[in-house]
Structures are given as structure tokens and as C-alpha cells.
Amino acid sequence: MTAPKYVGLENYQKIFSDVRIGNVYLTTIRLTAMIVPCNMTLGLALAVLLDRKMPTIIRNFFKVSYFFPFVVSGVAVSIIWTFLFHRDLGPINYYLGLIGFERIYWLNSSTYSPLAIVIADVWKNVGFYVLVFLGGMQAISRDFYESAEVDGATAWQQFRHITLPLLSPTILFLMVISVIGALQIFEQPQILTNGGPGDATRTIVMYIYEQGFRFFDMGYASAIAFTLFIIILVLTIIQFALSRRWVFYS
Amino acid sequence: MSTKASVQILPPAVKTSRKPFPWTTLIVLAILGFGAVLMIAPFLWIIQSAFGETREAFVLPPRWLPAHPTLKNFQDVFDQVPYHLFMFNSLKLAVLVTLGQLITCSMAAFAFARLQFPGKNILFFVLLSALMVPGQITIVPLFVMIRQLGLYNTHAALILPGLINPFGVFLLRQYFITIPTDLEDAARVDGANVFTIYLRIILPLSGPVLTTLAILTFVGVWNQYFFPLVVINEPKLQVITVGLTLLRGQFGAGALGTIAAALTMAIVPVLIVFLLLQKYIIKSIVSTGLKG
């Protein structure tokens, strides 16, 4: 590593002549566009189910089992998933084979490797969404539901017109932090696919790591990091601006 | 069709009749149970592989109990890499950073919540803006600073930056401002100084939020991967997460048993602590989630 030297905007210009980086941005955004909705909808659905009447001990058992992977390191979880996804010897292809699927090249096909990363990420993180949603739902007063029931509202109407609006601040919060988190995804693709095949699953943070700490081009790595910061900032501002239309603060 | 119609016409008859069989509840429990199996099974599979013979590790259909239990895989882990050092390093860093943050964050939060000093609002604004900058993005400047300070390849490189946590300051400050000032006023009349108020009044009243910060920090440091990967090069100083990948690098995907043993040693302590403290851990992580 040499001492830094002032180069003006050279590092930013380099972004435009870099043939790989467009694909890296696109991959990251594509992963984010899959991870965020999957975590949000699955988390919400499971929270709705958990919010039903059931013995506390059973609910606690579910809470603990869904939440535990969230506490385990992303590295450990990703290594476990490399074995689960193994083409010939992995349990996933084995069980899929039992119900008639062909063997899937989970980690070395450009079609399936992004999906593998999404699955591993949702498996690790969905418990957090479940518990935050559940906390939000349990904070909603039961009176609303009781009077809705008296008025003859169906379960779906209650969910649509009571739960969702009163949960909207929680939804916004989870959306904002999950977009920020997903745009910075590093561990899962680094360990599951190492960015491959080719650059099919290389994310921005992986690219920053590669440029800065493999090729030791710190200036360029910083320039890319700054663009990522701008992307995150803009998306966050947009989400807050749009939230005025749908978030309901009681 | 006809029974459904009659039910709708005669709601009181339905109410007085016996409860119908709870099909929906059963279906809900079945779905949740299936989900729970999906969450637990991978851990069970890895743990059983750790205690099984290498040639049996990849047997299909997957086993849930090893046929010939052995501890050889664990022995192999320690023969290949200094795994006990990885575990010790992770524990050491997690404890030191957690203790450090409890001190620095609570002091800074106390200043923001209780003291009047020039520039307080500007400083607080700077703190909040630091909250908005994601950690991965500052990795390059942080790395350059670490190098220039001569801290590359030392644990100080992982401890010192960890002592500053804007989120922790914010979390504690939000809690401290809710503590009524009456007690302090009384203490001040009795001649207590600022430090006594911090130590004897604010801290003892803040047990829950300090626990929350401690749990979040400990789990965060124990699981961190990117930063140690970048600033530590010496295997003996490495942490458990990078250690796992080092071990995996030596074997490829072949020696499942050995890696499973290492994974088991990484996961089981977390599992035990999690089961003992699950109420606090879930509450901590979720409550900070709710407040944002």
C-alpha cells in the first residue's frame, strides 16, 4: 500500500469505465428486491399465525425456534447451507428428488445461486421480522377487534382494516432497515458462492472488499462505498417520503 | 350448502351447540410446526454429523442420530487449526468490547441526557448522522487509520473502534431522559456531584436497558466477520467466524464431519446462552427493533 495521493475525481470516473460494476450493482439490487419482500411477507404471515390463540408454552417454543438462527453468526449459517445445498450429497436436493425434482445446481448456476442466497438469508433473518411484527400486533388493543366482530367483519377485513393500518409504522421501520441491510449483504454470498459463478452473485460490499483488500485499490473501493452510501440514503429518503401516504400514526 | 344457510339464519343455535372441531387451529399449528422443523433440522443435522464418522456424514437420507458416535471430528479440528484460540479470542473481544461500550455509551448518554454544555445539540446531531452511515461503508477509511496507528494485526484494531457505538449512546440516552429528575435534585442538595449521580442514581435505575445493550453488543462482536477478516492476518489472533472459513478452506466441502464439529462448537455455546436468557435476548432485540 502506498501513501494516498490526490487524484481529483479519477476514482469516480473509473466507475463508469469499469465493465464489471454495473452487473454488481444490478445483482445487489436484484437480491435486495427478492430478500426484502420475502422476509416481510413471510414474517408477517407467520406473525399473524402466531398471534392466534394458543397455549403460551407452544407460542414460546415457536418464537425461540424461529428466532434462534438470527442469533447465530451469518458465517456459521452460511457454511451449514453450503452443505444443505450440495448438489449430490445435500439434503435439499435429496428431499426435492423424493417429490420428483431434478438435482438443482444451487451454488454453481447463475439461475439458482441468487435464489440459494435469498433462501439462506430468509431462513436466518425471518425470525426477527416475525417477532417484531408480533410485538407490533400485540400492542394493538383487542377492543378494535371486538367491536369489529360485533359489526360482523370477517377475519380478512379485520386484518386489512385494523391490523395493517395500525401495524404500518412497524412495516415502515422493518422495510427501511431491511433494505439497508440487504444492500450491504456480504457474508452469505461470500461464503455460499464466493460471488460466482462468474460475477452472478457478487454484491457491492463483496466488490468493495475485492477492490480494497485483494487488489489494494483503496481509493476505488472508497469511491464505490460512497456510491453505495448515496444509494442507501436516496432509497431511505424515498421510503420515508412515500410513507406519508400509507403509514398511519394513531 | 343448505346447512350453511341454516347456520346463517339461526346464529343463536350455533352459539348454544357444542364447539366445532378446531380445524383452523390445527392447520395453523401444523404450518407453524412445519416451519419450526425447517428452522431446527439443519442444526440437528450438523450436530449429529459432528459426532458421526466421516464416511457417514453425507449419508442420504440424512441421519438425525450418529450410528457410531465418536469425538474424532473434534480432535481433527484442533489438529488442523488452533480452534481453542479462535474461541478464546472471540470471547475475549466480545467481553472487552461489551464492558467498554457499557462504560463509554452510558457516560456519553448521561452527558446528552442530563448535562448542559455548549455545542450539545450539534454533537448530538453528529451522533445521529453517524447512526445513518452503515458500518460496511466506512471500512476503507477505518482500515487506513488502523494501519497508520500501527494496529494492523492486533486485537486493539478490533477493540478500539468497537468502543464507540452511536446506536448504544442513542439507546441509553433515550432511556435516561425518561428517569425522573427528583432523585438527582435531592442528591444534589445533599452535595452529590455529577459523577456520583451517574454512578449511584442513573446506572442502578437503568438495569434493563444496559442489559439490552450488553446482549446486542456481545452477540454482534461474537458474530462479526468482515472487520476481523480485513484487519487480522495472523491465524493465532483470528476469531471464530474467520476461523470457521479457514478450516473450510483447508477441506473444501469434503470433510463435513470436521467442519460440523467446528460449527457445533461455535453454535452450542450460543444455543445454551440463548435458551437460558431467551426472554431477555428476544425482548432486547425486538424492543430496539420496535423503537427504531
Side-chain angles (χ1 to χ4, degrees):
Chain A
M1 203 171 74
T2 52
K5 182 176 80 197
Y6 181 73
V7 293
L9 288 174
E10 195 184 282
N11 282 317
Y12 289 92
Q13 283 163 352
K14 201 167 161 188
I15 292 175
F16 293 97
S17 56
D18 186 335
V19 288
R20 287 174 66 200
I21 199 165
N23 184 36
V24 169
Y25 280 122
L26 209 65
T27 302
T28 312
I29 288 166
R30 210 180 283 147
L31 282 175
T32 306
M34 289 194 278
I35 286 171
V36 174
C38 285
N39 271 324
M40 298 285 293
T41 48
L42 197 60
L44 184 61
L46 289 169
V48 168
L49 298 184
L50 265 182
D51 195 32
R52 295 176 65 95
K53 235 189 211 154
M54 64 177 78
T56 317
I57 183 159
I58 295 183
R59 180 179 294 121
N60 280 345
F61 167 75
F62 287 136
K63 276 165 122 178
V64 166
S65 24
Y66 288 133
F67 195 66
F68 181 61
F70 185 75
V71 192
V72 177
S73 74
V75 173
V77 163
S78 303
I79 294 178
I80 294 177
W81 280 89
T82 56
F83 294 126
L84 294 174
F85 278 132
H86 195 283
R87 176 173 41 102
D88 300 317
L89 306 166
I92 293 181
N93 272 356
Y94 171 76
Y95 287 118
L96 285 179
L98 289 187
I99 51 172
F101 280 89
E102 296 274 310
R103 276 178 186 165
I104 293 174
Y105 289 67
W106 285 105
L107 302 177
N108 1 45
S109 103
S110 49
T111 321
Y112 287 104
S113 53
L115 194 61
I117 289 166
V118 173
I119 292 172
D121 185 275
V122 171
W123 183 81
K124 178 177 176 0
N125 292 323
V126 76
F128 174 72
Y129 294 77
V130 172
L131 290 192
V132 175
F133 274 132
L134 189 63
M137 284 178 193
Q138 290 180 338
I140 299 173
S141 162
R142 295 285 133 177
D143 299 351
F144 291 120
Y145 296 104
E146 275 162 23
S147 43
E149 217 143 278
V150 170
D151 293 342
T154 61
W156 167 252
Q157 285 170 330
Q158 291 180 29
F159 175 74
R160 175 69 192 80
H161 298 289
I162 300 174
T163 313
L164 270 189
L166 290 174
L167 208 56
S168 54
T170 310
I171 298 174
L172 173 69
F173 162 74
L174 281 176
M175 227 164 75
V176 168
I177 62 159
S178 61
V179 167
I180 294 176
L183 286 172
Q184 292 185 85
I185 189 167
F186 173 71
E187 286 169 7
Q188 285 93 334
Q190 175 84 9
I191 287 162
L192 280 169
T193 62
N194 201 11
D199 271 347
T201 52
R202 197 168 311 277
T203 63
I204 299 181
V205 174
M206 289 176 75
Y207 200 63
I208 294 171
Y209 174 70
E210 185 191 276
Q211 294 296 325
F213 302 100
R214 287 271 171 269
F215 304 156
F216 295 101
D217 192 345
M218 296 279 168
Y220 189 42
S222 297
I224 302 167
F226 193 71
T227 62
L228 176 59
F229 174 61
I230 298 295
I231 292 173
I232 288 175
L233 190 69
V234 168
L235 282 180
T236 307
I237 290 172
I238 290 176
Q239 289 185 75
F240 274 108
L242 288 179
S243 77
R244 278 183 216 145
R245 299 193 188 174
W246 62 271
V247 174
F248 175 83
Y249 293 100
S250 50
Chain B
M1 242 7 235
S2 61
T3 51
K4 211 174 181 183
S6 68
V7 166
Q8 277 172 348
I9 295 164
L10 300 165
V14 176
K15 265 190 181 166
T16 49
S17 70
R18 276 199 305 140
K19 266 191 178 173
F21 191 74
W23 283 112
T24 17
T25 310
L26 261 188
I27 294 170
V28 165
L29 287 180
I31 296 173
L32 287 172
F34 181 68
V37 168
L38 289 184
M39 302 310 264
I40 297 169
F43 290 118
L44 286 182
W45 182 62
I46 284 296
I47 292 172
Q48 77 82 23
S49 306
F51 290 99
E53 290 175 351
T54 308
R55 62 190 167 83
E56 287 178 343
F58 263 135
V59 171
L60 291 173
R63 281 178 202 272
W64 304 105
L65 282 173
H68 308 94
T70 163
L71 291 175
K72 188 177 172 300
N73 291 321
F74 293 89
Q75 190 56 50
D76 287 347
V77 172
F78 291 106
D79 287 346
Q80 301 297 330
V81 291
Y83 204 69
H84 55 293
L85 289 180
F86 299 158
M87 290 170 80
F88 173 75
N89 291 338
S90 280
L91 186 67
K92 169 186 151 189
L93 291 169
V95 168
L96 289 179
V97 172
T98 303
L99 288 178
Q101 270 194 22
L102 285 175
I103 297 169
T104 58
C105 292
S106 66
M107 284 187 169
F110 176 75
F112 281 125
R114 284 296 198 262
L115 304 184
Q116 297 304 326
F117 53 91
K120 178 173 152 182
N121 289 335
I122 296 171
L123 275 179
F124 194 63
F125 179 77
V126 171
L127 181 91
L128 287 184
S129 18
L131 260 182
M132 320 253 166
V133 185
Q136 318 262 42
I137 286 173
T138 52
I139 194 93
V140 175
L142 195 54
F143 176 80
V144 172
M145 271 199 276
I146 294 287
R147 258 199 115 108
Q148 282 171 353
L149 290 171
L151 297 177
Y152 182 71
N153 239 341
T154 65
H155 279 166
L158 293 170
I159 295 169
L160 290 179
L163 295 183
I164 301 146
N165 177 3
F167 169 75
V169 178
F170 182 67
L171 180 75
L172 297 187
R173 184 253 184 197
Q174 295 307 91
Y175 189 87
F176 290 172
I177 52 175
T178 64
I179 299 175
T181 51
D182 308 3
L183 274 173
E184 285 172 60
D185 296 339
R188 210 159 294 179
V189 171
D190 292 343
N193 61 21
V194 168
F195 189 73
T196 315
I197 292 171
Y198 159 77
L199 197 66
R200 294 287 164 85
I201 296 178
I202 297 290
L203 286 190
L205 287 173
S206 306
V209 76
L210 293 171
T211 315
T212 299
L213 179 64
I215 288 171
L216 293 173
T217 307
F218 194 94
V219 172
V221 177
W222 180 265
N223 290 341
Q224 71 175 342
Y225 172 64
F226 195 15
F227 203 44
L229 181 68
V230 167
V231 297
I232 302 289
N233 198 16
E234 167 75 45
K236 273 189 293 192
L237 294 175
Q238 205 44 276
V239 298
I240 194 164
T241 49
V242 185
L244 277 172
T245 61
L246 289 178
L247 190 67
R248 193 178 74 121
Q250 291 188 353
F251 288 105
L256 172 65
T258 315
I259 300 161
L263 283 167
T264 302
M265 286 187 276
I267 292 168
V268 169
V270 183
L271 179 64
I272 293 170
V273 174
F274 179 69
L275 288 179
L276 288 177
L277 300 176
Q278 40 126 333
K279 263 195 186 139
Y280 298 100
I281 294 177
I282 291 181
K283 227 170 90 189
S284 303
I285 297 180
V286 173
S287 70
T288 53
L290 279 178
K291 281 172 197 153

